[in-house]
Amino acid sequence: MAALKNYDGKYWRDLFDSRIGKTTWPYGSGVWSKKEWVLPEIDSDDIVSAFEGNSNLFWAERYGKQFLSMNDLWVKHCGISHTGSFKDLGMTVLVSQVNRLRKMNRPVVGVGCASTGDTSAALSAYCAAAGIPSIVFLPANRISLAQLVQPIANGAFVLSIDTDFDGCMQLIREVTAELPIYLANSLNSLRLEGQKTAAIEILQQFDWEVPDWVIVPGGNLGNIYAFYKGFHMCKELGLVDKIPRLVCAQAANANPLYLHYKAGWDQEFKPVKANTTFASAIQIGDPVSIDRAVYALKKSNGIVEEASEQELMDAMAQADSTGMFICPHTGVALAALIKLRNQGIIGTNDRTVVVSTAHGLKFTQSKIDYHSNDIKDLACKYANPPMQVKADFGSVMDVLKKYLLSKVPKN
Ligand SMILES: *Cc1c(COP(=O)(O)O)cnc(C)c1O
């Protein structure tokens, strides 16, 4: 920070803005356009990048107005990225550093991670691009098919283990202590250095105006800290003069941070046994970055909310019905927003950013189940199943007329 402070806020704003939309290697990447703040000493030739970042900041105009009476709601689509989740932002940094270490003949034979799906997809893609072996530990039958097929297709060594994420995490920590495998989980701060650029990018996309709220779905809790760090650095280095309030949103079925928050931060943190949730990437009971997350929330006057399966699935369906196609984790964040709106904590005109963490196409099975009205103990209120019609003109005309009548504006 001392070295970065040799330049003022305007210098950094102008530098970052000058790199947007350029292809000069590696600055076209949303992460490496902030290289001086991420991993300054790496040689550009050693960087492994898929031009991640620079993701869509979507004005959720209709969703905000229709469901929340909000005028200034935005969704930062971090999942519109090379492997379909924000994990790319951190993985480009970690794999670049490993690439560099290997060129320096350090004893790193491969890179490994435990994953709820998206981390392994990102790790295997970036490793494959650089020709580095990757090893992933996945909880058997607990991730989506789309997520499982990504590391398989990218040539990772995939271990499907009959335990949950927390069990995989424990095992890989033991294994990497014995073998020359570099551990890629987000307790590794290189990942967070890359992920924090999403926060800087949000400020940049608002022409360096600071939003009031940023809502992030949290599981292992690295990302909520990364967002804090990005905003904090922008304030410390004079690019902006304040930071937004952060909200961490958890699934009620995997809510150790929420319980810790409710008990008052001073109580001792207690891990939980995570139950099954459609938000499978945050089905984590013993988050490794708990201390960082608590720090980030305290420093940003933050809040923790939770969402039931019903709430998160309904929020996802409603958002999709206004033109988005979000993942269940983003549903968790939207459900948290609904609660904070209803309590009057977030106001009508508050500029609010919901962080969408993965692409909805990775989680189609949950949407298929919802729209088929095929989920046990869950009322799929906004299901929109296809209409079965006989292949004749009269039948097709009948259903269309009925449909159009229901859509005629009433006044
Ligand atoms: C990893 C992930 C999260 C959670 O991020 P943490 O840093 O573990 O809190 C949320 N959503 C998706 C889609 C993810 O892949």
Side-chain angles (χ1 to χ4, degrees), residues 34 55-57 74-78 196-211 213-216 227 231 244 351-355:
K34 280 88 187 168
S55 58
N56 181 3
L57 180 63
W74 302 75
V75 178
K76 175 70 171 161
H77 280 295
C78 294
K196 81 184 178 200
T197 59
I200 308 168
E201 217 170 87
I202 288 172
L203 298 175
Q204 191 169 20
Q205 285 170 313
F206 285 130
D207 281 329
W208 306 103
E209 273 182 35
V210 183
W213 299 92
V214 174
I215 306 178
V216 185
F227 269 86
F231 289 127
R351 176 168 283 180
T352 303
V353 180
V354 167
V355 174

Side-chain angles (χ1 to χ4, degrees), residues 84-87 115-119 147 165 186 191-192 195 216-226 248 250 279-282 284 287 289 327-330 355-359 362-363:
S85 87
F86 77 86
K87 298 295 199 293
S115 174
T116 52
D118 292 328
T119 302
Q147 290 173 313
F165 170 82
S186 62
R191 297 243 327 261
L192 306 183
Q195 288 169 212
V216 185
N220 223 4
L221 303 179
N223 207 29
I224 183 77
Y225 175 79
C248 188
Q250 292 212 294
S280 52
I282 55 175
I284 296 175
S289 294
C327 70
H329 320 85
T330 311
V355 174
S356 175
T357 44
H359 201 293
K362 284 197 179 201
F363 297 90

Side-chain angles (χ1 to χ4, degrees), residues 111-180:
V111 188
C113 74
S115 174
T116 52
D118 292 328
T119 302
S120 57
L123 177 69
S124 45
Y126 284 86
C127 280
I132 300 171
S134 62
I135 301 127
V136 306
F137 285 29
L138 294 172
N141 305 320
R142 284 180 176 85
I143 69 170
S144 82
L145 201 60
Q147 290 173 313
L148 176 62
V149 81
Q150 288 182 291
I152 290 175
N154 286 143
F157 187 53
V158 179
L159 276 67
S160 177
I161 306 177
D162 190 17
T163 176
D164 57 7
F165 170 82
D166 297 300
C168 288
M169 189 70 228
Q170 165 100 37
L171 276 167
I172 196 144
R173 283 174 104 152
E174 289 168 19
V175 166
T176 50
E178 300 278 324
L179 298 175

